[in-house]
Each structure stands twice: as structure tokens, then as C-alpha cells.
Amino acid sequence: MSEYQEIKQDVVRSKDMNERSFQVLTKNFYVFRAAIRYFSVRQGLSFTSSKISDRFPITASSAGSGLNVLEELEVVESRTSSSKSRYMPKDVEIERLKLIEEVLQDSFEIESFWKQEN
């Protein structure tokens, strides 16, 4: 089975198990993508839902819901020690996030960021 097919199955399973949180993720997908890239790639800092909400247009509770889905989809991983709601930059899978974006676009869950108007 290809990696794309595996991710597609993971996305379907996540949607079925966490419908409300999954909707938060899809409605704010590009905000999450920007936030994850900002903290993990550009800053190299750990991040939490409240840090995301301080710097991006999303509430802390919505950020937390979306991060939980992204953790289930193995894009981010929470710390295993003191603060489980803190995500570490070295544990972010940007390439997996790109494949998830492709799956979501192909299944019409999100529109392309670069969608052209006719």
C-alpha cells in the first residue's frame, strides 16, 4: 500500500472518530499549516494551542482540537514528560502534512490555497 493510501485511510478514520475536531482542522487547515511551519521550521520552538492562538487567527480551544487531530495523524507529537499539550519542533512531520493536504484536497475537504477564481 502506498503512503498516500495509508494517509487517506488515516484521514478517513480520523474523520469518523473525531468529526467535530476534524471539522475544526479542515476549516482552519491553512492556519495550522502556517503555524506549524512558523514554530517548527522558522523558529525551532516548542508550541502549544495558546501560543498558536496568540500569533494566528484561531482560538486556543480550536487550536487544541486541531492539534489533537494532527497528533492522531502523526504530524505532531506531544511531549511525553511534564506537559503533554506542548509540541516539539523536531517531532513535526512537514512532509506528512503535505500529503494530508493533498488527500484533503482530493476528497474536497479543503480547497487549494492557490485556487484561481474564474
Side-chain angles (χ1 to χ4, degrees):
M1 181 181 303
S2 71
E3 187 176 9
Y4 179 88
Q5 289 298 323
E6 280 181 37
I7 288 175
K8 188 173 183 176
Q9 285 182 344
D10 291 345
V11 166
V12 168
R13 191 175 312 113
S14 179
K15 182 178 181 180
D16 289 344
M17 300 294 286
N18 305 303
E19 188 172 344
R20 181 173 281 165
S21 295
F22 187 82
Q23 286 178 346
V24 168
L25 174 66
T26 57
K27 287 182 181 181
N28 299 288
F29 184 82
Y30 294 107
V31 173
F32 281 106
R33 186 181 75 171
I36 288 170
R37 288 193 76 232
Y38 173 79
F39 286 109
S40 67
V41 177
R42 298 199 184 256
Q43 298 292 316
L45 299 171
S46 64
F47 55 95
T48 62
S49 58
S50 62
K51 276 188 174 182
I52 289 175
S53 71
D54 287 346
R55 291 174 176 84
F56 292 90
I58 190 168
T59 64
S61 60
S62 294
S65 294
L67 285 170
N68 287 338
V69 173
L70 289 172
E71 183 172 12
E72 184 178 300
L73 293 172
E74 299 176 358
V75 173
V76 297
E77 186 177 328
S78 64
R79 279 175 69 169
T80 54
S81 60
S82 59
S83 178
K84 291 196 182 279
S85 62
R86 181 172 298 277
Y87 299 88
M88 304 306 288
K90 67 179 179 355
D91 297 327
V92 172
E93 297 291 334
I94 294 292
E95 291 304 315
R96 187 167 174 86
L97 182 62
K98 288 178 184 177
L99 281 172
I100 290 169
E101 179 179 0
E102 187 178 327
V103 167
L104 292 174
Q105 288 174 354
D106 291 349
S107 61
F108 302 102
E109 294 289 345
I110 62 172
E111 292 184 2
S112 171
F113 186 77
W114 303 107
K115 180 181 176 186
Q116 296 185 1
E117 298 290 325
N118 290 333

